[in-house]
Each structure stands twice: as C-alpha cells, then as structure tokens.
C-alpha cells in the first residue's frame, strides 16, 4: 500500500528532515507515527500525498510512483488519500454538508448520489443534525468530525492524519479515535502522527518512532516511547 525506499528530504534551508527512511505499510494497517517535535513526522506524512517531494529515494502509494507522477495526476493521487489535519482546514463560508460535498468530484456524480454519500458519511461521524451549521458554530471536536467526513467521503484506501487530536481535549480525542477505529475496521489504512501517549498506549497498533529524520523503532502493538 505504502512503500518508501531510501527516502531523504533536505529542505532548501539545509535541514534534513528525512534521513534514509525505509518502510512498508500494508493495506488495512493502522500505524501511529510518534517522536519528538522536529523529528520529521509531518515531513514523512506530507511526502505521502506529495505536499513535499523527497530529495532522494522512491515512494509508492497503492502502486503509484510519486517520483514519476505528473503534476496533472496529483489530483488522482489525492482522491485515493484522505488527509486530516490538526487545525481541521474547513472552508469557513460553507456549511457542514457543503464542506463534505465539496470534496466529491461533482462532475462525475449525480446530485442524488452526492446527497447519499454526504448524508451517509455525516451519519457515520454523528453530525446529521448539524449539516446546515457553519464551521464557526461548531466545537473543535465537531469540526474535526467534519474534516474526517470530508477525508473519507471519496472512500479512500488510505487516511493520513497529522495530529488529528492535537487541538482537542481528552474526552473529545477519544471520540475522534473511535471514528478512526471504525474507518480502519472497514479496511481503510490509517497513518496517524500523534503526541498523544495515552491513546497510543491504550488503543494498540503498530508504532513507528521517528527521531532525527530516521525510523528508530517500528513495532506492532508498540509503545509510545522515545528519548526526547
Ligand atoms: N517547509 C520547511 N522548510 C524548512 N524546514 C522545514 C520545513 N518544514 C519542516 N522543516 C524542518 O524539518 C524538521 C522536521 O519538521 P517536521 O515538521 O517534519 O517535524 P515534526 O516531527 O512533525 O514535529 P512536530 O511534532 O513539532 O509537529 C524540523 O527541523 C523543521 O524545522
Ligand atoms: Mg508535525
């Protein structure tokens, strides 16, 4: 599903944020990416949806080689990957329903299909009652649920999340994790960078530790544990 081979990333300012990353993530896996601030977790994640390109090395996502992928094909790649951010990134002028519908390729879908898909996904995240509300009328947890609904409405094979609970209180964070667990149970691969030790040590999954741009540990049912 996701393969990285000898991946290096040096930013223009000289910072090496990925220093020889080799990893394989299979279909249906749930992977936490942990490590100290500045370790390279976001860089690792951004390279998967080609927000950043590696300086050296190969990345394959579901058979697509990101190194040789034409820019015109990046939207095709992004349709196969759902992305969730710490700060939600919702469109403020669109309501909940519209924020989710916007992510669908409207040209290819009938209005009836779009309504069904959006309503189904809003039901999954428990927001049916709030479909007509705007982002600034929602709590942080609700906004994150909208952003998750948006990320999965295209039924992507992979969902990538960069600290999705970073701005949420502990109770809300557990609620959000329940939704990710449900999505994963349906067969979607999840890659999640997080600083939430409680969650990583309670809901057990594969744990990849990134330190200084390198993977220093990689264990199934791993622990949140690294030298900071
Ligand atoms: N666009 C950029 N240009 C230059 N340097 C960058 C850029 N983005 C990140 N870096 C640097 O690359 C290194 C890794 O950053 P990255 O954001 O991947 O870390 P992180 O593990 O996600 O940290 P955090 O836990 O704080 O989110 C850091 O030293 C950072 O300053
Ligand atoms: Mg980060």
């Amino acid at each position: 599903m996701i393969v990285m081979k000898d991946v290096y990333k040096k930013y223009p300012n000289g910072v090496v944020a990925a220093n020889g990353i080799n990893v394989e993530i299979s279909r249906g896996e749930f992977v936490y990416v942990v490590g100290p601030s500045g370790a390279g977790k976001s860089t690792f994640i951004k390279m998967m949806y080609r927000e950043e390109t590696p300086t050296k090395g190969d990345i394959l996502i579901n058979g697509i080689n990101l190194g040789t992928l034409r820019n015109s094909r990046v939207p095709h790649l992004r349709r196969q990957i759902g992305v969730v951010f710490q700060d939600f990134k919702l469109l403020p002028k669109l309501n909940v329903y519209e924020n989710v519908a916007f992510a669908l390729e409207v040209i290819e879908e009938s209005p009836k299909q779009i309504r069904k898909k959006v309503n189904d996904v809003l039901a999954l995240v428990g927001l049916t009652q709030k479909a007509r509300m705007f982002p600034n009328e929602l709590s942080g947890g609700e906004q994150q649920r909208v952003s998750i609904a948006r990320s999965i409405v295209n039924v992507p094979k992979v969902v990538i999340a960069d600290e999705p609970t970073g701005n949420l209180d502990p109770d809300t964070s557990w609620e959000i994790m329940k939704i990710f667990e449900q999505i994963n149970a349906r067969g979607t691969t999840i890659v999640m960078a997080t600083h939430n030790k409680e969650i990583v040590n309670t809901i057990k999954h594969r744990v990849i530790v990134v330190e200084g741009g390198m993977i220093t540990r990689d264990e199934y049912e791993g622990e949140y544990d690294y030298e900071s």
Side-chain angles (χ1 to χ4, degrees):
M1 182 100 257
I2 299 170
V3 181
M4 287 199 188
K5 279 188 212 150
D6 298 323
V7 168
Y8 288 80
K9 173 67 181 179
K10 188 179 194 176
Y11 283 110
N13 62 0
V15 172
V16 177
N19 195 3
I21 291 194
N22 285 286
V23 74
E24 284 189 30
I25 296 171
S26 305
R27 182 177 297 266
E29 277 197 75
F30 194 130
V31 182
Y32 294 118
V33 181
V34 307
S37 183
K41 303 180 294 297
S42 295
T43 303
F44 177 69
I45 272 183
K46 284 175 182 168
M47 289 190 294
M48 289 179 193
Y49 61 98
R50 226 176 78 167
E51 176 71 21
E52 293 291 350
T53 50
T55 320
K56 269 196 285 178
D58 292 315
I59 302 176
L60 283 109
I61 306 288
N62 198 26
I64 303 171
N65 186 333
L66 302 200
T68 56
L69 185 70
R70 279 177 283 127
N71 283 338
S72 62
R73 297 293 286 166
V74 170
H76 169 76
L77 168 78
R78 300 259 170 94
R79 249 175 271 140
Q80 305 194 28
I81 304 173
V83 187
V84 177
F85 304 94
Q86 179 172 2
D87 59 355
F88 326 132
K89 297 200 195 298
L90 300 175
L91 296 164
K93 296 202 166 120
L94 301 186
N95 68 28
V96 167
Y97 181 97
E98 292 161 345
N99 260 283
V100 177
F102 191 77
L104 284 173
E105 282 296 292
V106 276
I107 7 160
E108 290 160 34
E109 309 256 10
S110 69
K112 194 176 164 188
Q113 273 288 314
I114 292 172
R115 261 198 310 280
K116 176 162 171 32
K117 285 191 180 176
V118 176
N119 286 331
D120 284 356
V121 86
L122 287 179
L124 177 77
V125 300
L127 281 178
T128 304
Q129 305 304 321
K130 306 219 162 163
R132 302 294 154 194
M133 293 176 71
F134 288 85
N136 67 352
E137 301 173 311
L138 301 174
S139 70
E142 288 166 345
Q143 291 183 61
Q144 192 55 299
R145 284 191 272 155
V146 178
S147 131
I148 294 171
R150 177 183 61 184
S151 79
I152 60 171
V153 72
N154 274 313
V155 199
K157 297 182 177 74
V158 189
V159 171
I160 293 170
D162 197 353
E163 298 189 39
T165 63
N167 284 349
L168 305 175
D169 62 63
D171 284 353
T172 312
S173 299
W174 289 107
E175 298 279 309
I176 293 297
M177 285 308 297
K178 260 194 241 163
I179 298 170
F180 279 113
E181 287 291 306
Q182 274 176 281
I183 297 167
N184 180 237
R186 303 193 309 185
T188 308
T189 308
I190 311 246
V191 181
M192 179 184 295
T194 184
H195 284 284
N196 196 318
K197 184 174 184 171
E198 276 281 297
I199 284 173
V200 173
N201 288 343
T202 307
I203 308 176
K204 293 291 212 161
H205 290 297
R206 179 174 173 186
V207 179
I208 291 177
V209 181
V210 177
E211 291 169 290
M214 290 184 272
I215 294 179
T216 53
R217 288 174 82 136
D218 182 352
E219 284 169 19
Y220 289 90
E221 311 252 315
E223 293 275 328
Y224 183 102
D225 136 30
Y226 55 80
E227 302 289 324
S228 52

